[in-house]
Amino acid sequence: MFSRLITFEWIPKSWFSSHSLVGNKNIILMGPPGAGKTTVGRIVGQKLDCPVIDIDDDVLETTWNMSVSEKLQDVGNEQFLEEEGKALLKFSASGSVISLTGSNPMHTAGMQHVKRNGIVVYLDVPTTVIMSRLKSMKVDRIVGQGPATSLKDILQFRKQFYKRWYDVRVLCGGNMAAEIVAEKVLDAVKRYQNSEVETYVSTRSTQKNSDKYFSDVVIEGLASDGGLFVPERGFPELTAEEWQTVIEATYAERAQVILERCIHPADIPASKLREIIGTAYGENFTCSKIAPVRHLTGNQFLLELFHGPTASFKDFALQMMPHIFAYCIPRSCNYLVLVATSGDTGSAVLDGFSRLHDADKQRIAVMSFFPEDGVSPIQKSQMIGCQKENAWSVGVKSDFDFCQTALKKIFTNSDYTGYLTVEYGTTLAAANSINWARLLPQVVYHASAYLDLVHQGTIAFGDPVDVCIPTGNFGNILAALYAKMMGIPIRKCICASNENNVLTDFIRTGIYDLRGRKLVPTFSPAVDILKSSNLERYLHLIADGQLVTQLYDQLENQGHFQLRKDLLEKLQQDLVAGWCSEEDCLAAIHSVYSTTGYILDTHTAVAKVVADRLQDRTCPIIISSTAHYSKFAPAILRALRITEIKQNPLSQLHLLSSYSPLPPVHWGLLETLKKNENEGHRVCAADLSMLMSCIETLIQKHFMKVF
């Protein structure tokens, strides 16, 4: 930070005695030419009664004694950028609003200099809007544009520099008045300065004014009272105009915009968040659109969530969450991440954490517990094959509900967790969707799917859609509800269950009843769940911590609870539900393939059946396709009436591949099974003390280098 103010003759001295929102820091407005930086800067300066400095008019032209356009014509593009950067390096101010030129961010040293004493605010205006504005201003050439370069190309090229430098972003729609943009700038700066308002509470807490921040809840995973963390003040909402600025954006760009609003820059700065998103949604996804939307039939669309490395929707969170976790945790501790899985989470979490940098893998390990006989053979082989030096799979001789409940008991056993910390210097953490960093990235693909339909011309922004999601632990459908809270026009969320239809009964009646229910193994094992953890987060939205505590105490002690009538009515405004039998699941796979040539996986087939029954056909419906069909080869072969079904998982995939009319099997799945056909894994009895012993053994092996 500068301790001395260097003034120029052209700056009135009275400017520097005025009050500023940011003390002696500057508010630095950055963006392309035509973004409105000068006009917005003047309005912000007036509101704050502080100095306003326009780099073009007040620095460059004064320094050069000629207009910017004359200078550009005189020295050419490359020399102009250098001269502009030199002028910026000689400039300093404090407590001011500074409007940069459109090309200032292209000079690294100059931007490092001005950023040291300021908060850089990026006025993010769609390129099409900028081009229209520049045309009306009769600007046909900007810095960096040569004879062979179009105006659009140079504007797109510059975006990488704007994204590199900003601290906060303001989305500026095409018709947004400068006065409104200025208010958004002030709001963004206030948020940047005050991280204390973005706190998290337990779903079972009755206390206000929490001291838990994003980084805390990522590390802790589960609240100490057994509840789940949620934002104390709810979700941020984007206006329709803001959403429309990202209609033409890539998936990664949309993720950046959405997650910036949900994660305070004090927890993860925008530049680091961009790095994490770029790593998560890069070459490890086989489709450049990451989460493409495909028309199926009529008004039904499929959101394909299986193009990641382990072929399921879990990759969207678990290619990102490990990097968030590694950034948030203290460097002085070792962490063992525990996860319970009903199928897809296991391989996704193992793959995600195994992709950490080598230094992070030394201090972060992960263990995945899965029902030994409760996942598909291919899912089990994939989990075993995804084991790495810091990532292990453990089969448990029970069902998913036991695994999930056991881990919750371990996390809340302070004697045991304290012992691990003291004895081994190791802290436990969670990677299930009980961890907020697991759930949050899933909001992005629901928003992105809607924006894709707008971009394709299927709907106009503001038109409603329904979504239908195969649902077990309630995380995926909850993410869709959060997208709705952020301003995406989702009308109804349709919860699709298999024969383990406790959620369908609950949404229809308000009664959550586990008494006498036995888990039924099905063709869609990822939703073979009776205790849906994330339902608790939804109930917290419509109730309060005290009632949530009462309901879950009753569920734990008596095996059931019932919602009040008024709360059930609230719930049914958001949710409808149905379920699908095993026979109908297989029939849907066969029918869709026969009529379209497309193969649904078993979970997507469950959603398709329920969507057919419950949609009213007055608006489009987006069905979440949560896994690649090849993960469930035996069921697919049976549905397609291919009688030769082999027991070996790799042989099943080869059999699917041999039928040339079928779409190809998933590349990552095939490669994992090929490389690790003979790998082994640990198997543990359904006993809590045995799981704890297994955890301790693997801590000794990885962190203490015992054995």
Side-chain angles (χ1 to χ4, degrees), residues 324-443:
I324 292 176
F325 185 80
Y327 182 80
C328 290
I329 62 174
R331 295 293 181 265
S332 57
C333 290
N334 295 325
Y335 280 83
L336 177 61
V337 179
L338 304 180
V339 62
T341 177
S342 56
D344 292 327
T345 298
S347 55
V349 75
L350 296 170
D351 182 273
F353 277 91
S354 71
R355 292 175 185 265
L356 289 172
H357 299 302
D358 287 343
D360 288 329
K361 284 193 281 191
Q362 295 300 314
R363 62 195 184 96
I364 303 171
V366 61
M367 288 182 70
S368 172
F369 294 92
F370 66 93
E372 175 69 14
D373 301 312
V375 297
S376 79
I378 289 179
Q379 284 178 313
K380 181 189 287 190
S381 295
Q382 187 183 24
M383 278 188 277
I384 295 168
C386 283
Q387 294 182 116
K388 297 292 191 303
E389 68 270 22
N390 70 324
W392 310 292
S393 282
V394 179
V396 180
K397 289 289 189 178
S398 187
D399 56 28
F400 170 76
D401 286 329
F402 172 84
C403 296
Q404 181 165 253
T405 301
L407 290 197
K408 283 187 175 182
K409 289 179 179 178
I410 288 171
F411 282 123
T412 54
N413 184 336
S414 57
D415 290 340
Y416 178 68
T417 57
Y419 163 74
L420 295 180
T421 301
V422 172
E423 186 70 17
Y424 302 113
T426 299
T427 301
L428 297 182
N432 275 88
S433 55
I434 59 175
N435 190 304
W436 186 248
R438 262 289 312 278
L439 186 60
L440 189 57
Q442 294 178 245
V443 177

Side-chain angles (χ1 to χ4, degrees), residues 171 364 502 559:
L171 297 173
I364 303 171
V502 63

Side-chain angles (χ1 to χ4, degrees), residues 407-591:
L407 290 197
K408 283 187 175 182
K409 289 179 179 178
I410 288 171
F411 282 123
T412 54
N413 184 336
S414 57
D415 290 340
Y416 178 68
T417 57
Y419 163 74
L420 295 180
T421 301
V422 172
E423 186 70 17
Y424 302 113
T426 299
T427 301
L428 297 182
N432 275 88
S433 55
I434 59 175
N435 190 304
W436 186 248
R438 262 289 312 278
L439 186 60
L440 189 57
Q442 294 178 245
V443 177
V444 176
Y445 57 69
H446 290 297
S448 184
Y450 181 89
L451 296 171
D452 278 347
L453 290 186
V454 176
H455 189 242
Q456 295 166 11
T458 304
I459 55 174
F461 192 91
D463 292 344
V465 299
D466 292 337
V467 297
C468 185
I469 301 168
T471 303
N473 219 19
F474 208 79
N476 200 353
I477 199 166
L478 179 62
L481 288 163
Y482 284 150
K484 180 179 181 178
M485 291 173 65
M486 291 190 76
I488 293 296
I490 294 171
R491 185 180 62 168
K492 288 284 186 181
C493 291
I494 302 174
C495 171
S497 303
N498 59 21
E499 292 183 358
N500 296 291
N501 54 2
V502 63
L503 281 171
T504 298
D505 290 347
F506 173 67
I507 291 167
R508 289 176 175 177
T509 67
I511 300 171
Y512 202 100
D513 195 348
L514 300 179
R515 292 173 297 182
R517 281 191 185 262
K518 298 290 185 183
L519 193 74
V520 180
T522 72
F523 296 133
S524 46
V527 292
D528 286 349
I529 296 171
L530 294 178
K531 289 184 178 179
S532 300
S533 286
N534 278 294
L535 179 63
E536 184 169 340
R537 283 189 165 114
Y538 178 75
L539 294 178
H540 187 268
L541 285 175
I542 62 174
D544 56 39
Q546 183 176 2
L547 180 58
V548 171
T549 301
Q550 291 173 2
L551 293 176
Y552 277 85
D553 282 348
Q554 186 177 348
L555 183 65
E556 185 68 28
N557 297 322
Q558 300 177 32
H560 69 101
F561 67 74
Q562 181 170 0
L563 283 185
R564 298 194 314 256
K565 183 180 178 182
D566 61 318
L567 295 181
L568 178 60
E569 288 172 352
K570 282 185 181 180
L571 178 149
Q572 290 175 341
Q573 290 174 10
D574 290 325
L575 296 162
V576 293
W579 68 278
C580 169
S581 69
E582 294 288 83
E583 294 76 14
D584 288 344
C585 171
L586 296 183
I589 294 168
H590 184 269
S591 173

Side-chain angles (χ1 to χ4, degrees), residues 50-71:
C50 71
V52 179
I53 303 169
D54 184 85
I55 296 297
D56 254 340
D57 296 341
D58 299 331
V59 178
L60 299 183
E61 295 192 355
T62 303
T63 302
W64 295 335
N65 278 325
M66 65 173 70
S67 70
V68 169
S69 59
E70 289 171 336
K71 184 72 170 181

Side-chain angles (χ1 to χ4, degrees), residues 2 28 88-89 104-105 107-118 120 164-165:
F2 297 107
I28 303 166
L88 206 59
L89 284 165
N104 278 155
H107 193 276
T108 300
M111 281 303 295
Q112 288 173 336
H113 173 71
V114 296
K115 187 177 167 71
R116 287 191 189 101
N117 194 38
V120 179
R164 176 182 177 185
W165 295 111

